[in-house]
Structure formats: C-alpha cells, structure tokens
Amino acid sequence: MNAPVKIETTLKDWETDQEVRWCPGCGDYAILKAVQRTLPQLGADPAKTVFISGIGCSSRFPYYIESYGFHTIHGRAPAFATGAKLANPELDIWLVTGDGDGLSIGGNHLMHVLRRNVNMQIMLFNNEIYGLTKGQASPTSREGTKSPSTPIGSYDHPARPAAFALGAGARFVARGFDVSKKLPEVLTAAHAHQGAAFIEIFQNCIVYNKDVFDDFAAPKGAEDRQLWLEDGKPMLFAGDTKGIALDTDTLTLKVVDVADGDWQTAGVIVHDVTNRSIAHMLVEMPFGEFPMALGVLYDDPRPTFEAAVIAERKKASEGKTADLARLLGSGQTWTVGGTAADPV
C-alpha cells in the first residue's frame, strides 16, 4: 500500500481555507469531494500526501486539498512527480491532469511516467475541451466538435486516454465519472495498486462542453449504458439483461442478450483484471453499439521504478565511503596557476 501507517482523519481534515474557484456546476467539485471522502478511508497521512498538477482547470486541485501540493507547469507534472517520488519514496503522490494538459503538451511526459511505472495515482480529468483557455478543441474532442479553434467542426480523430495508458505500458487502468457514487471505489483500487495507477475521469464542463457525457453519465437515466467492471464478475449491464461476450470467429467483443439471468449460456465474459488483451478491447468499444466500460479495466502489478532505482543506488554504494572531495579530485584533473599578466 502507498500509506502503510494509517492515520485517522475526516473529510474536514482534507478541506483547505481556499475559495474553490471553478465554474458553478463544474464536475471538478464532485471529483474533489470524492477524493476528500476517499482519503480518510485510505488512512492517508496529510504530512506524507502530495498532490501535483500541471496547468488547466483540473490543475487547481492542489489548492483545495489540505496536504502538500505543487502546481507546476503545462504538461510537466509527471516529471515533477517522478522527482518527488525518487527523492522521498515514502510520499503518497497523486498526479492531477486534464485531457489538454496530459495528452497535448504533456503527452510525452505522461507516457514515460506510465512506462516507468512510478508508484503514484494519476487522475486525468477528461472533459473533451480546453476549459481554462476558453473552450478550444482538445486532443480528446470528438470529430465535429465546434469550438473557437475549430469553428466548422474538428476533423481530428480523438485520443482515447485509457487506450493511450495501456499503449504506454500502464499496469493499472480505470475509468469513472465525476458524479458517480462508485468513483471512490475506483480511487481506492488505484491507491492499493503498487505502481503507476491511471484513472480517466469523465468530467462535465458546464460552460464549454455541457452534458457531453450525458448519454452514459447523466445523474439519472443512463445506468443501462454503463458497464461497471468487477474482477471475477460477469460483464453484465442494463439490469443484467445484456452482457459482453467474445466472438471467437472475429476475436472481437459483442453484446448479447441474457435471458432469465443465465449469463453462462449467453457466453458472457467474466472480468479478469489481469487480462491485458481484453482490457484493450474494452477501452476500444465504440459507445452506442456498446456500453461505456467503467471501473478497473486492468490491474496487473510489476516492480516499480523507484524500487529499481533504490536497489541500484544501494548496490553501487556497497563498500564505499561517501567522500565528495575525493570524488571531485578523481579522474582527469588539472592544476591552473599563473596570473593574468603571466598566464600558464
């Protein structure tokens, strides 16, 4: 676990005295409360918890959590977070980014923190728009999105954050949405994972991309279009009347009807969080024909980056005495003498 020594706190202990400055109705408020409710359940220690962000609406997050925080520069939060984790591996680090901050200028940095498997929780708020800079199309904006930067409609094929994370080698990939009551469960699972835990959180931008996720994330009426995944449980949705099966002829997923709860006969898949191939299929399912896959899609830990760095440092220093002066005087050295008038 990231916090082996549990501390008793309440939601109030994680609230700051800062005025929360998001637009009224912004989905970030719900995510903030979900995190503040989750931290006490984890037994997290404010003295060892760090929230690190880049630039964007989501990146104001560190101001509103009563812990250590670092509001860094555009797209570079993963680099700062990696440095903090290597400097003090005991820190419980939460990286907060957005679809613009994390997948545009920060895509390269995000890729490397995932492939290296640095032990932290990475929350990517995806509202499919640039909110802070007044509504331009972002890397995740859908084709046809009209915005100040795409007045006729975007012709870019959108990036899929969860697919990006899997492609970068992430060992934990999950999805949730801002107002979901199950979001704390997803955050808890991410925190339990040893390594880089990536969570894509669909977030409603009330001003520039309002209700874009209502077809599966509306507070009421969208439940039948959500596939909440649980390890060891069949992939059922729509009140258990439908499920996801594997078409063995095409090696693709398909939706099947489930009669009288008999999901086995329908061929519904049982979710295995360690199955990377199925995880790829789940994140690529086209919504509409398929439900939106939510929850923990993939969870298969491997040794962390900082553990390897610590082991290497320990091995390199065995039998040696720390002596900076000797180090500086080793190798090729020169003695410079003379004066300006009579240089050597």
Side-chain angles (χ1 to χ4, degrees), residues 258-274:
V258 177
D260 301 322
D262 188 1
W263 58 268
Q264 293 96 332
T265 299
V268 175
I269 300 172
V270 173
H271 187 41
D272 175 4
V273 291
T274 66

Side-chain angles (χ1 to χ4, degrees), residues 162-175:
F164 171 88
L166 283 169
R171 308 297 296 191
F172 180 102
V173 178
R175 274 179 177 157

Side-chain angles (χ1 to χ4, degrees), residues 224-242:
D224 286 353
R225 296 181 289 279
Q226 301 169 10
L227 171 63
W228 281 99
L229 299 161
E230 291 186 61
D231 189 34
K233 299 291 182 65
M235 297 185 187
L236 297 169
F237 66 100
D240 296 347
T241 62
K242 294 181 180 295

Side-chain angles (χ1 to χ4, degrees), residues 40-180:
Q41 297 172 10
L42 299 175
D45 183 354
K48 293 185 177 181
T49 301
V50 186
F51 280 80
I52 298 177
S53 66
I55 295 296
C57 295
S58 62
S59 292
R60 298 190 62 81
F61 216 85
Y63 294 102
Y64 310 138
I65 297 285
E66 188 60 48
S67 69
Y68 289 101
F70 200 167
H71 190 178
T72 70
I73 53 181
H74 206 187
R76 274 65 173 185
F80 286 87
T82 299
K85 191 66 177 181
L86 292 178
N88 186 353
E90 292 185 3
L91 294 177
D92 185 9
I93 293 179
W94 297 72
L95 193 154
V96 185
T97 186
D99 48 301
D101 179 67
L103 293 175
S104 184
I105 191 170
N108 184 50
H109 292 275
L110 185 59
M111 176 184 74
H112 292 305
V113 79
L114 291 170
R115 73 170 180 85
R116 285 173 173 151
N117 198 36
V118 186
N119 194 11
M120 65 181 72
Q121 297 74 240
I122 302 167
M123 299 188 295
L124 186 145
F125 298 7
N126 181 13
N127 57 18
E128 296 187 2
I129 207 76
Y130 277 106
L132 185 67
T133 52
K134 305 300 184 287
Q136 300 91 335
S138 85
T140 59
S141 294
R142 304 176 193 188
E143 294 176 21
T145 297
K146 292 185 178 181
S147 76
S149 60
T150 56
I152 301 175
S154 175
Y155 46 79
D156 277 349
H157 183 66
R160 295 182 176 178
F164 171 88
L166 283 169
R171 308 297 296 191
F172 180 102
V173 178
R175 274 179 177 157
F177 60 91
D178 46 18
V179 296
S180 172

Side-chain angles (χ1 to χ4, degrees), residues 138-292:
S138 85
T140 59
S141 294
R142 304 176 193 188
E143 294 176 21
T145 297
K146 292 185 178 181
S147 76
S149 60
T150 56
I152 301 175
S154 175
Y155 46 79
D156 277 349
H157 183 66
R160 295 182 176 178
F164 171 88
L166 283 169
R171 308 297 296 191
F172 180 102
V173 178
R175 274 179 177 157
F177 60 91
D178 46 18
V179 296
S180 172
K181 293 180 180 179
K182 295 185 179 182
L183 183 56
E185 296 177 18
V186 176
L187 298 174
T188 299
H191 190 267
H193 176 85
Q194 281 289 318
F198 179 86
I199 315 108
E200 176 185 8
I201 305 175
F202 298 105
Q203 176 255 321
N204 186 30
C205 177
I206 196 74
V207 175
Y208 297 111
N209 214 14
K210 184 180 178 183
D211 302 334
V212 70
F213 302 119
D214 264 9
D215 46 7
F216 69 86
K220 294 181 180 179
E223 295 82 6
D224 286 353
R225 296 181 289 279
Q226 301 169 10
L227 171 63
W228 281 99
L229 299 161
E230 291 186 61
D231 189 34
K233 299 291 182 65
M235 297 185 187
L236 297 169
F237 66 100
D240 296 347
T241 62
K242 294 181 180 295
I244 301 296
L246 179 66
D247 187 326
T248 55
D249 292 330
T250 61
L251 292 181
T252 57
L253 299 180
K254 62 181 180 181
V255 174
V256 294
D257 293 321
V258 177
D260 301 322
D262 188 1
W263 58 268
Q264 293 96 332
T265 299
V268 175
I269 300 172
V270 173
H271 187 41
D272 175 4
V273 291
T274 66
N275 191 321
R276 191 176 188 86
S277 297
I278 295 295
H280 273 285
M281 294 182 185
L282 288 168
V283 301
E284 294 288 351
M285 289 191 311
F287 180 75
E289 177 187 355
F290 290 87
M292 180 58 67

